[in-house]
Amino acid sequence: MEFNEPAGSNLFDDARIVGKPHSRVEGPLKVTGTAPYAYERNDVVADHLVGYPLGATIAKGKITAIRVDAAKSAPGVHVVITALDEPDLGKAKLNVAPLFGGAEIVHYHQVIAVAVADTFEQARAAANLIEVDYDEETDEDFDLASAFEQKDGSGEADTDVGDFDKAFADAEVSLDAVYHTPSHSHAQMEPQASIADWSDGKTLTVWTSTQMVNWTRKSLAQTFKLDVDKVRVDSPYIGGGFGGKLWLRADAVVAALGSRATGKPVKVALPRPLIMNNATHRSRTIQHIRLGATKDGKLTAISHEAAAHALPGGKGETPIAPTSEFYGSPNLLTRNHLIEMHLPESSDMRAPGEASGLMALEIAMDEMAEKLGLDPVEFRILNDTQVNPSDPSVPFSDRHFVECLREGVKRFDWSARNAKPGTRRDGQWLIGHGVAGAYRGNMTMKSGARATLSGGKLTIETDMTDIGTGSYTIIAQTAAEMLGLPLEDVDVKLGDSNSPVSSGSGGQFGAGSSTAGVYAACVKLRDQIAEQLGVENPDFRDGNVVAGNDVTALADIDGDVTAEDTMKFGDFQTEDYKMATFGAHFVEVGVHVGTGETRLRRMLAVCDAGRILNPKTARSQVLGGMVMGIGAALSEDLTIDTGRGFFANHDLASYEVAVHADIPDQEVHFLDTVDGVATPLKAKGVGELGICGVAAAIANAAYNATGIRVRQYPVTLERMIDQLPTI
């Protein structure tokens, strides 16, 4: 099916299941510990062996020797495989760093060996007996700031509208500031983990934890130079990803090598230190923002120039992304610089570009509002736009940012905010309020599904994944709505590469795209049922097919009826419109006058994301984004050991994510909007919108509490304590 024009009125406008709050259909499996995650797939293979990977201890250079005799002779060991044993292993097109094979080292903790044994403890002990010699190259200082200084103001622009230089020079009020965001780890609960069975040497089956089943399948085929039909990937449950499981990782590769070598299934999980340094992360950024405005607050000039680090040939963070599309200005300039560094691979993390970019842009907007003597909410409203600032001929498909701000003002009691920073106390705590806008572009990707009706029950099969987002539930809701069945009569099977290829989970495109694919399959199934019954344009409701006075129960239809289709999205979405999601975050913080500790007291998110398919699971997604935003604002910082070129705090003890004690009362409100340009269901994603702008709202609240402006994240006590008033 092709989606080539905006959706008109359809059954989702008067839905009985879609758009209503429903608990997760797979929830009972998860809370009882019976949902099968990758490392625990004892239901699919028996008598598996365990592999333990060894990571390189240099950032750049070559392996000159690996000694494995002691490891091979250790108790329980079946095989030890080194990178030197696999010099011709391929590198998938979607991978930047080599996952395994050959002597070259391009980043710290690149996997260079795996020990396979009867037990985890034996494999780990054997891996620790491996000795490695290197020819190390130590010519990098990992100094992003110095590299950016040399590039700031030069190079080809990403966005160049009007004449920024002239407009900025002529501006009645201006701001020129630099902001810093650190590297972040996805730090998901479940590690990258796989069980591989290549025991017959022909067909490779991998039970793994991946957001993108088809990408992983193709990448495995490319890595091992196999036909793609000789690879099967299965990933029904994922314990968090946040972008860290978009790409094939080393766990699957070395598990497959171990299985091929031993003739038995092998399972491998990346240890937490390797997750931080072997898997991907959000790169550090430096961002230079300049704003110019008239005295009454209209922006006349916006420039956002940034730098992020990446491996050669890779991609870092693109913090300029939201600036080119969020606020209106006739003169707009953005430029992003990728600085090559042999640090662990940087890549996508929840809301790549927008999350880090808004950490800076939304502080800058607050600073500019203060210079203008305007309320920061009103300043943002004044500079709203209904067209894409990068191309004013293109309208937004649906944009209600102003409504988000106004609704937030009412719900949060914004009028209680300090007019002058640092003037309100609650005992030893300085109290402040902050606001930030949220912006995340909306994408769609073609997505397929198979629908089978059997005995009045409906089964949906697609290789779509559920990374905790609620895919099982919204897909079941969509199918139940289309066939007029109760939710409990729909069985959803996800994550198997034998099923039709879906969009997968990432980029906030999963919910809208995958449900559109299910819609397409169900439309075809309805047509086949109607043809089988010899009726035209029937209604499907209450478990029946209704055509005038003819009523046939779906349970009475003979045999199985199966339909498969893929939703393909037309170019009109990107050529005629700009699709995006919007929001506003309001927070209240307390900053301790004696210690500089910042504590969240309450939070509100108001979101505009089209039709909300399931308010219950969507709220959970936004809450999770807000929690990640708290960590980004106050504690998270992958710290570089510049002498060795790796992240030193590579575990959950020293990489400090937000925990229960950090989280205040949180409220989420969704505007009642639809976007017919997005999908037939008129829905967009919310999974990444929730993190966008949160950190800046917290930083702005800390300023409102103390009068101390912090432009370098995280906003920790040492950045404020020497400027706080006396107790």
Side-chain angles (χ1 to χ4, degrees):
M1 177 182 287
E2 295 186 355
F3 186 63
N4 288 320
E5 60 183 12
S9 298
N10 58 35
L11 80 165
F12 299 108
D13 295 328
D14 190 27
R16 46 185 194 87
I17 296 177
V18 168
K20 306 299 189 292
H22 293 276
S23 296
R24 297 173 186 268
V25 296
E26 85 287 7
L29 293 178
K30 290 182 174 177
V31 299
T32 57
T34 52
Y37 290 87
Y39 201 69
E40 306 161 347
R41 294 304 298 271
N42 299 317
D43 59 316
V44 291
V45 286
D47 301 324
H48 55 258
L49 303 175
V50 182
Y52 193 91
L54 179 70
T57 56
I58 64 171
K60 184 182 179 184
K62 289 188 176 181
I63 302 169
T64 58
I66 302 182
R67 292 177 292 279
V68 298
D69 289 346
K72 285 183 175 180
S73 61
V77 172
H78 288 249
V79 69
V80 176
I81 304 169
T82 76
L84 299 183
D85 298 330
E86 299 289 342
D88 300 321
L89 203 64
K91 182 165 74 72
K93 295 177 182 178
L94 294 175
N95 287 123
V96 176
L99 299 183
F100 195 77
E104 185 181 11
I105 301 300
V106 300
H107 69 84
Y108 197 95
H109 271 175
Q110 180 177 319
V111 173
I112 58 173
V114 62
V116 180
D118 290 324
T119 69
F120 170 83
E121 290 78 11
Q122 290 171 334
R124 181 176 59 183
N128 287 332
L129 295 173
I130 299 171
E131 298 178 342
V132 187
D133 294 334
Y134 303 97
D135 181 7
E136 184 177 4
E137 298 178 31
T138 57
D139 58 347
E140 292 192 50
D141 57 12
F142 306 104
D143 188 346
L144 186 64
S146 295
F148 182 45
E149 285 178 8
Q150 297 173 24
K151 292 180 176 290
D152 193 7
S154 64
E156 185 176 349
D158 292 87
T159 305
D160 192 354
V161 177
D163 187 341
F164 168 79
D165 289 334
K166 183 178 186 306
F168 186 70
D170 293 343
E172 295 174 321
V173 182
S174 62
L175 171 76
D176 187 331
V178 176
Y179 306 86
H180 299 256
T181 68
S183 295
H184 290 153
S185 172
H186 304 88
Q188 74 281 348
M189 186 178 295
E190 181 200 27
Q192 282 83 354
S194 299
I195 299 177
D197 187 0
W198 205 353
S199 54
D200 65 359
K202 298 178 181 178
T203 300
L204 170 61
T205 301
V206 179
W207 296 271
T208 190
S209 184
T210 178
Q211 297 174 226
M212 307 293 290
V213 167
N214 192 48
W215 289 4
T216 299
R217 186 189 192 195
K218 288 182 176 179
S219 294
L220 282 165
Q222 292 164 5
T223 300
F224 292 109
K225 301 178 175 65
L226 298 171
D227 291 336
V228 73
D229 61 1
K230 295 296 184 182
V231 179
R232 180 189 169 214
V233 171
D234 190 31
S235 188
Y237 295 96
I238 299 100
F242 311 119
K245 296 176 181 175
L246 287 169
W247 325 109
L248 175 67
R249 303 316 308 168
D251 57 293
V253 174
V254 297
L257 289 170
S259 179
R260 185 173 65 179
T262 62
K264 292 185 177 182
V266 173
K267 71 177 182 179
V268 175
L270 293 185
R272 188 63 64 175
L274 264 72
I275 293 175
M276 303 294 202
N277 282 299
N278 177 273
T280 59
H281 67 281
R282 192 195 304 279
S283 60
R284 178 187 170 197
T285 77
I286 300 177
Q287 304 179 46
H288 182 195
I289 295 178
R290 290 175 289 169
L291 303 177
T294 61
K295 288 181 180 179
D296 60 2
K298 287 291 289 184
L299 286 169
T300 57
I302 300 175
S303 171
H304 192 166
E305 191 153 356
H309 60 79
L311 281 170
K315 60 177 182 178
E317 192 75 354
T318 54
I320 62 172
T323 306
S324 60
E325 300 168 352
F326 201 1
Y327 295 108
S329 171
N331 303 285
L332 176 62
L333 177 68
T334 67
R335 190 182 285 117
N336 199 51
H337 303 282
L338 284 184
I339 310 299
E340 290 189 354
M341 291 184 181
H342 282 266
L343 287 168
E345 183 181 343
S346 58
S347 190
D348 300 291
M349 181 172 163
R350 196 174 197 169
E354 282 95 340
S356 61
L358 292 170
M359 289 172 77
L361 177 63
E362 288 301 296
I363 292 182
M365 289 293 287
D366 244 49
E367 293 194 66
M368 192 64 169
E370 184 175 46
K371 282 195 167 197
L372 290 160
L374 291 174
D375 181 286
V377 170
E378 293 304 318
F379 178 53
R380 288 170 171 85
I381 290 173
L382 188 62
N383 290 285
D384 184 49
T385 174
Q386 290 298 312
V387 298
N388 182 359
S390 296
D391 184 356
S393 66
V394 177
F396 281 98
S397 59
D398 195 62
R399 174 174 171 137
H400 301 278
F401 177 49
V402 169
E403 290 89 333
C404 290
L405 289 165
R406 294 204 188 285
E407 186 67 24
V409 165
K410 289 188 295 183
R411 289 175 174 268
F412 196 75
D413 190 18
W414 181 248
S415 61
R417 171 182 176 270
N418 301 329
K420 181 180 178 181
T423 56
R424 179 181 168 192
R425 280 201 186 199
D426 181 3
Q428 298 298 306
W429 295 89
L430 298 167
I431 308 303
H433 297 105
V435 66
Y439 178 95
R440 178 66 170 121
N442 187 71
M443 298 178 286
T444 54
M445 294 181 65
K446 70 176 183 179
S447 194
R450 182 185 305 122
T452 300
L453 182 71
S454 179
K457 306 291 185 180
L458 181 63
T459 299
I460 301 295
E461 297 168 285
T462 170
D463 80 355
M464 179 60 182
T465 51
D466 190 325
I467 58 176
T469 46
S471 301
Y472 277 103
T473 308
I474 60 172
I475 285 173
Q477 288 176 260
T478 304
E481 196 73 59
M482 288 294 295
L483 270 294
L485 288 168
L487 200 59
E488 56 269 22
D489 284 350
V490 179
D491 183 25
V492 177
K493 299 182 183 298
L494 299 184
D496 191 334
S497 64
N498 287 337
S499 298
V501 175
S502 73
S503 63
S505 298
Q508 198 175 265
F509 52 67
S513 301
S514 65
T515 52
V518 171
Y519 166 83
C522 288
V523 167
K524 183 173 283 189
L525 180 64
R526 285 164 56 121
D527 290 345
Q528 289 182 202
I529 292 170
E531 182 178 354
Q532 183 171 324
L533 295 177
V535 297
E536 294 184 359
N537 301 318
D539 290 330
F540 288 74
R541 60 176 185 265
D542 301 326
N544 298 311
V545 184
V546 182
N549 294 324
D550 293 331
V551 179
T552 303
L554 289 171
D556 293 338
I557 294 176
D558 294 333
D560 293 351
V561 187
T562 299
E564 182 177 323
D565 204 353
T566 295
M567 179 63 75
K568 300 175 183 177
F569 295 92
D571 292 339
F572 83 99
Q573 287 186 323
T574 54
E575 293 178 355
D576 300 339
Y577 300 95
K578 181 64 189 177
M579 290 194 299
T581 57
F582 308 90
H585 290 283
F586 293 80
V587 302
E588 178 180 303
V589 304
V591 179
H592 195 278
V593 70
T595 67
E597 176 189 8
T598 301
R599 282 283 178 185
L600 271 293
R601 294 162 68 100
R602 58 191 179 102
M603 304 177 75
L604 166 68
V606 183
C607 302
D608 167 32
R611 171 169 286 124
I612 302 302
L613 300 174
N614 184 334
K616 190 172 186 178
T617 55
R619 176 180 179 273
S620 179
Q621 282 296 286
V622 176
L623 290 176
M626 293 162 75
V627 169
M628 289 186 77
I630 293 172
L634 298 180
S635 61
E636 294 186 41
D637 181 354
L638 277 174
T639 304
I640 301 171
D641 181 326
T642 56
R644 295 178 175 84
F646 79 111
F647 297 122
N649 53 334
H650 48 218
D651 55 41
L652 292 179
S654 51
Y655 181 78
E656 297 177 346
V657 299
V659 297
H660 288 295
D662 298 315
I663 310 306
D665 290 335
Q666 295 176 298
E667 181 185 351
V668 178
H669 177 73
F670 295 110
L671 298 186
D672 184 14
T673 62
V674 295
D675 190 341
V677 173
T679 77
L681 284 75
K682 306 176 185 177
K684 296 182 283 193
V686 298
E688 299 188 350
L689 180 66
I691 192 176
C692 295
V694 174
I698 294 170
N700 291 336
Y703 171 74
N704 184 250
T706 64
I708 302 168
R709 179 63 74 181
V710 178
R711 299 189 182 99
Q712 181 169 352
Y713 291 96
V715 184
T716 46
L717 58 89
E718 68 270 17
R719 304 197 199 283
M720 292 191 289
I721 194 165
D722 60 344
Q723 302 173 66
L724 289 168
T726 56
I727 296 177

